[in-house]
Amino acid sequence: MTRQAWLNGVYIAAEEARISPFDRGFLFADGVYEVTAVYNSQLIDMERHLDRLERSLRELKFGTMPDRKELEDVHRKLVSANGVDEGYVYLQVTRGAYGARDFVAPDNPRLTIFMFAEKRALIDTPSARNGSRIVTLPDIRWARRDIKSVGLLAQALAKTEAKARGADDAWLVAPDGFVTEGASSNAWIVTKDGEIITRAISNMILAGVTRHALFDALGQKGIKLTERNFTADEARNAAEAFSTAATGLVTPVVEIDGVQLSDGKPGPTTRMVQKAYYTAIGADVPKTAPWVNG
Ligand code: PLP
């Protein structure tokens, strides 16, 4: 089946979508993006993703905003046109193309808006079942990580380096020794006393929508989450660890820099967190993820 995408107001076969090489997204990474998970053919937390998209655009002084109602509608249509019961919708907005390479951004940009949907398992994946192995690497990104910029070279290099080292993913460490976040996820540890910890929101990290949803889901259960910095060393010595993102949901971390956590298996707190999140997005956990109960 041909994959349907959407480019600047037009539904189009994905492989036929074309943009100008003068697009500022291509020349300057002058653009932002969002990835919204789809489960049971429902978009998970789409409004929060669109809020964050608008915030990113405002912070970059785009001036022009995409039509939110249209974006919501296209999200739903791409899910249905592509038969995505489980997967994600990708949305990218750049400051457009002007036939010249000018560093100075235009006042009223003609936005380039591109969206596509992809089928992909989110809950029952090898990493969600068995956990992932992480390496820590220096965080060499720019100072505005709160903006979901398409400038992802540092993250791409970190993931490539992690793979070269035989790991599944990378967590990034600031020069002060504290973990900022995963290369495409938020980073969490569980102490030996069972305290669940993640870094507080600031311009050092992306305010993850999945992170936010976990605060809601676990808060409703009366489970306390602590926002504070932790070092790579504290992470290696933690009882458990996990990452959160729209594409990986809650992914257990069972090894950091070659050091095994919880005997190399996802621990009980991580399983509880997975279960709470899967339940919050409407999954029938005993059926879809029986492994969360050990
Ligand atoms: N941090 C970074 C650097 C990311 O790229 C992502 C997702 O792509 C996240 C955190 C998690 O954000 P979300 O839960 O909204 O997917």
PDB file of all heavy atoms in Angstrom, residues 47 73 109 138 193:
ATOM      1  N   GLU A  47      -2.748  16.918  21.926  1.00  0.00           N
ATOM      2  CA  GLU A  47      -2.853  18.348  22.280  1.00  0.00           C
ATOM      3  C   GLU A  47      -1.571  18.839  22.943  1.00  0.00           C
ATOM      4  O   GLU A  47      -1.111  19.948  22.689  1.00  0.00           O
ATOM      5  CB  GLU A  47      -4.073  18.611  23.174  1.00  0.00           C
ATOM      6  CG  GLU A  47      -5.422  18.280  22.509  1.00  0.00           C
ATOM      7  CD  GLU A  47      -5.647  19.001  21.170  1.00  0.00           C
ATOM      8  OE1 GLU A  47      -5.105  20.108  20.976  1.00  0.00           O
ATOM      9  OE2 GLU A  47      -6.351  18.441  20.309  1.00  0.00           O
ATOM     10  N   ASP A  73      -6.660  17.658  12.344  1.00  0.00           N
ATOM     11  CA  ASP A  73      -7.414  16.921  11.339  1.00  0.00           C
ATOM     12  C   ASP A  73      -6.484  16.026  10.500  1.00  0.00           C
ATOM     13  O   ASP A  73      -6.781  14.855  10.245  1.00  0.00           O
ATOM     14  CB  ASP A  73      -8.116  17.970  10.459  1.00  0.00           C
ATOM     15  CG  ASP A  73      -9.134  17.340   9.565  1.00  0.00           C
ATOM     16  OD1 ASP A  73      -9.863  16.481  10.064  1.00  0.00           O
ATOM     17  OD2 ASP A  73      -9.167  17.687   8.355  1.00  0.00           O
ATOM     18  N   PRO A 109       7.231  34.135   7.503  1.00  0.00           N
ATOM     19  CA  PRO A 109       7.645  32.984   6.697  1.00  0.00           C
ATOM     20  C   PRO A 109       6.471  32.238   6.081  1.00  0.00           C
ATOM     21  O   PRO A 109       5.392  32.166   6.652  1.00  0.00           O
ATOM     22  CB  PRO A 109       8.381  32.098   7.707  1.00  0.00           C
ATOM     23  CG  PRO A 109       7.898  32.523   9.052  1.00  0.00           C
ATOM     24  CD  PRO A 109       7.539  33.961   8.940  1.00  0.00           C
ATOM     25  N   PRO A 138      29.224  12.470  26.119  1.00  0.00           N
ATOM     26  CA  PRO A 138      29.136  13.920  26.396  1.00  0.00           C
ATOM     27  C   PRO A 138      27.969  14.555  25.639  1.00  0.00           C
ATOM     28  O   PRO A 138      27.733  14.229  24.471  1.00  0.00           O
ATOM     29  CB  PRO A 138      30.475  14.459  25.868  1.00  0.00           C
ATOM     30  CG  PRO A 138      31.374  13.280  25.769  1.00  0.00           C
ATOM     31  CD  PRO A 138      30.508  12.083  25.522  1.00  0.00           C
ATOM     32  N   ASP A 193      16.388   2.889  47.487  1.00  0.00           N
ATOM     33  CA  ASP A 193      15.235   3.099  48.395  1.00  0.00           C
ATOM     34  C   ASP A 193      13.919   3.199  47.631  1.00  0.00           C
ATOM     35  O   ASP A 193      12.881   3.514  48.225  1.00  0.00           O
ATOM     36  CB  ASP A 193      15.419   4.407  49.192  1.00  0.00           C
ATOM     37  CG  ASP A 193      16.654   4.354  50.061  1.00  0.00           C
ATOM     38  OD1 ASP A 193      17.023   3.240  50.490  1.00  0.00           O
ATOM     39  OD2 ASP A 193      17.264   5.422  50.284  1.00  0.00           O
TER      40      ASP A 193
END
